[in-house]
Amino acid sequence: MKTEQGIKIQVKQTFPLTIKRLGINGEGVGYFKRQVVFVPGALPGEEVVVEATKINPKFAEAKIKKIRVKSPHRVQAPCPFYEQCGGCQLQHLQYSQQLKEKQDIIIQSLERHSKLKADKLDIRQTIGMENPWGYRNKSSFQVAQKNGKVLAGLYGMNSHQLIDIEHCAVQHSQTNEAVTTVKTILEDLQIPIYNEKTRKGIVRTIVARVGVETGELQVVLITTQKELPKKQSIIEEIQQRLPQVKSIVQNINGEKTSLIFGEETLALAGEEFIQETLGDLQFELSARTFFQLNPIQTVKLYDEVKKAADLTGNEKVLDAYCGVGTIGLWLADQAAEVRGMDVIPESIDDAKKNAKRHGFTNTKYVPGKAEEILPKWVKKGWKPDVIVVDPPRTGLDNQLLQTILQVKPEKLIYVSCNPSTLAKDIQTLSSKYDVKYIQPVDMFPHTAHVEAVAKLILK
């Protein structure tokens, strides 16, 4: 009779550990008495002494007490808030090595969640950035007040302590400047700051977004109510101190929620949109429009999709999670027709506007779910040759997977932001599809995130 192997590790127990690899969240992974142990901050190849902090049924968590043998790729994290903030996980790992580990995270996911032989697949080297700092075009910093001083930043790891971040190393310099300036304005004008505990106060978040190619800046103040004291003074101060701001917006969110935006948005000054350029395409970004956070790498990612689609001008292309139409429009000049759908109706309105603005007449966008709309189109005789999917972290809906297997497009291009769900979905699709290659792209340097473009061909 086999009994479940019990956990031998105790909380606060210290023991030596050799780190074998990086986990999906950027933590070091080692084995003690055949038990998986996750250690934040530890790197592959390191020999460490750790202290167990938490025991779960299938794994343990631990913290580093001492590094006995250091990885040759370990570096000093340049950001002073790195240890507390938790926004980045890999600043202590040399950038060139981060790219190798991200490729390895994809290989591990395939080994764990699929029956495919990862060593037989063409899993390419991760495409990185020349300058992996200051790349994020948008920051959403919570605000709080301490001894009359206004703080803006992120909540620390596993804590309710707001870390006042003066300068975020991965944020674009213009969003950093905007947040710091707006913070000072709120302090100077003594605007009531929201307090999470008492639920009193008005301003809760400062959101800043920059058009990296255009230099246009948008500032959004998220408030608990419509009435904003000294509204005119706030607007005038922002315009005076940050002349590059094209758009000042207020968004109202009075709910007790971790969601940043509420439903109501008011333009306070300037334009409602800022402009951004990706390759040959122009986009209007309103406060709540979803847009890729790293436009420099987005161009590389979309070029990889274009390369994988390898269009001749005759293909019908389906963009299954089309958002505001970016990927489909990237391909539209080489396709016979592009159709897209998305569950957010506002995104579909934007996709139609974007297609019109660029003069594309070979596009069609409808709101709804791909797994419900596609079968209707197929019944009417419209069958896609190429399907592009860019699903959320949860991966493809099972019904959509089954629909794809029934419709059988020649090519399927899977844009993934989560290696685990990519591996599971590829496994499901492997009954009808071969994986031609997987190309990882680093969209978020210094974090554990890894994006990938997988090209699948009908068997």
Side-chain angles (χ1 to χ4, degrees):
M1 181 178 147
K2 268 180 103 174
T3 53
E4 182 69 20
Q5 189 190 357
I7 289 251
K8 302 182 179 74
I9 303 168
Q10 306 291 318
V11 171
K12 287 206 180 300
Q13 182 179 341
T14 59
F15 49 90
L17 201 64
T18 302
I19 304 299
K20 300 290 187 195
R21 53 186 171 85
L22 276 190
I24 202 109
N25 301 311
E27 68 288 78
V29 181
Y31 296 87
F32 181 68
K33 296 186 176 171
R34 295 170 58 187
Q35 189 57 55
V36 181
V37 185
F38 293 112
V39 188
L43 295 173
E46 291 190 329
E47 291 174 24
V48 290
V49 178
V50 301
E51 179 184 310
T53 53
K54 202 173 173 190
I55 308 296
N56 296 295
K58 292 196 169 153
F59 60 89
E61 294 171 42
K63 63 180 182 190
I64 299 174
K65 295 292 279 182
K66 188 180 171 193
I67 301 177
R68 282 183 176 161
V69 177
K70 218 160 84 163
S71 162
H73 309 294
R74 180 177 279 278
V75 292
Q76 182 63 43
C79 170
F81 312 105
Y82 176 58
E83 301 284 320
Q84 310 148 289
C85 156
C88 299
Q89 300 83 39
L90 297 176
Q91 281 194 23
H92 61 295
L93 179 60
Q94 208 173 4
Y95 185 58
S96 56
Q97 192 62 23
Q98 287 181 29
L99 299 177
K100 289 182 183 150
E101 295 296 347
K102 290 189 180 195
Q103 179 191 31
D104 188 56
I105 284 172
I106 289 179
I107 293 168
Q108 283 179 48
S109 293
L110 287 162
E111 286 170 350
R112 196 167 312 135
H113 301 295
S114 84
K115 295 191 178 79
L116 302 170
K117 303 249 182 300
D119 54 349
K120 299 273 193 291
L121 293 177
D122 179 6
I123 299 168
R124 301 183 171 177
Q125 287 185 0
T126 311
I127 296 171
M129 291 189 84
E130 278 164 42
N131 171 18
W133 301 99
Y135 58 82
R136 285 181 72 105
N137 60 4
K138 180 181 174 184
S139 70
S140 309
F141 279 2
Q142 257 63 37
V143 288
Q145 201 157 18
K146 197 175 178 182
N147 309 331
K149 188 177 173 338
V150 176
L151 318 176
L154 302 170
Y155 284 104
M157 275 184 290
N158 316 324
S159 88
H160 239 64
Q161 205 55 45
L162 191 76
I163 317 270
D164 190 31
I165 299 174
E166 288 291 329
H167 173 92
C168 171
V170 294
Q171 281 294 344
H172 192 280
S173 58
Q174 275 188 261
T175 62
N176 272 324
E177 187 195 356
V179 172
T180 309
T181 307
V182 173
K183 185 166 74 168
T184 313
I185 291 168
L186 297 175
E187 200 174 290
D188 292 350
L189 295 170
Q190 296 181 338
I191 306 301
I193 301 298
Y194 180 67
N195 179 320
E196 268 212 327
K197 287 200 181 82
T198 62
R199 300 202 58 203
K200 290 187 168 64
I202 292 168
V203 179
R204 60 194 289 176
T205 312
I206 301 167
V207 178
R209 173 146 67 178
V210 65
V212 173
E213 289 295 322
T214 61
E216 294 185 8
L217 197 57
Q218 180 178 59
V219 170
V220 186
L221 290 177
I222 299 189
T223 58
T224 54
Q225 57 175 54
K226 205 166 182 171
E227 288 67 46
L228 178 58
K230 305 184 187 169
K231 187 191 286 183
Q232 210 40 49
S233 304
I234 295 173
I235 293 167
E236 284 163 14
E237 286 296 326
I238 292 175
Q239 287 172 331
Q240 197 182 332
R241 297 189 208 187
L242 292 164
Q244 66 275 42
V245 170
K246 277 276 193 307
S247 166
I248 306 173
V249 175
Q250 179 186 359
N251 173 273
I252 297 126
N253 183 357
E255 303 298 311
K256 190 173 168 38
T257 169
S258 59
L259 294 175
I260 292 173
F261 282 95
E263 290 303 313
E264 194 180 355
T265 307
L266 311 165
L268 297 184
E271 309 290 324
E272 272 187 56
F273 304 94
I274 56 169
Q275 303 284 339
E276 179 59 305
T277 307
L278 276 186
D280 300 332
L281 304 177
Q282 279 80 42
F283 295 94
E284 284 184 345
L285 309 181
S286 66
R288 291 182 65 193
T289 305
F290 169 78
F291 195 71
Q292 293 278 8
L293 290 163
N294 184 344
I296 293 167
Q297 291 300 89
T298 299
V299 169
K300 294 181 192 174
L301 182 78
Y302 290 175
D303 280 344
E304 286 303 320
V305 174
K306 199 167 205 170
K307 210 187 282 179
D310 192 20
L311 300 173
T312 61
N314 302 319
E315 291 88 354
K316 298 187 194 79
V317 177
L318 179 75
D319 184 1
Y321 293 77
C322 71
V324 299
T326 34
I327 291 182
L329 296 178
W330 206 260
L331 305 175
D333 62 338
Q334 294 184 357
E337 188 183 4
V338 173
R339 290 190 181 186
M341 65 279 280
D342 198 284
V343 290
I344 301 168
E346 294 86 38
S347 293
I348 291 299
D349 295 342
D350 281 346
K352 286 177 180 169
K353 275 186 216 150
N354 287 331
K356 195 174 176 186
R357 185 180 323 124
H358 293 97
F360 288 119
T361 51
N362 60 339
T363 58
K364 174 179 174 141
Y365 293 103
V366 295
K369 293 180 175 178
E371 58 270 21
E372 289 168 11
I373 294 165
L374 181 56
K376 290 176 188 164
W377 286 348
V378 172
K379 249 186 195 146
K380 288 181 182 164
W382 191 86
K383 184 192 161 195
D385 305 292
V386 180
I387 294 183
V388 181
V389 292
D390 182 8
R393 289 190 64 75
T394 45
L396 293 179
D397 178 277
N398 192 45
Q399 210 182 329
L400 179 56
L401 282 166
Q402 298 313 318
T403 305
I404 290 168
L405 290 170
Q406 279 157 8
V407 174
K408 295 193 214 132
E410 281 300 316
K411 285 178 206 158
L412 176 68
I413 318 297
Y414 191 132
V415 183
S416 159
C417 62
N418 182 346
S420 304
T421 49
L422 171 68
K424 288 173 190 168
D425 290 347
I426 285 179
Q427 175 58 39
T428 306
L429 293 161
S430 65
S431 61
K432 302 263 171 76
Y433 284 88
D434 286 323
V435 179
K436 191 91 165 64
Y437 65 80
I438 298 175
Q439 173 63 67
V441 180
D442 189 21
M443 297 289 279
F444 300 104
H446 312 296
T447 76
H449 289 285
V450 54
E451 255 65 8
V453 175
K455 178 174 183 172
L456 281 73
I457 303 281
L458 193 63
K459 285 182 181 178

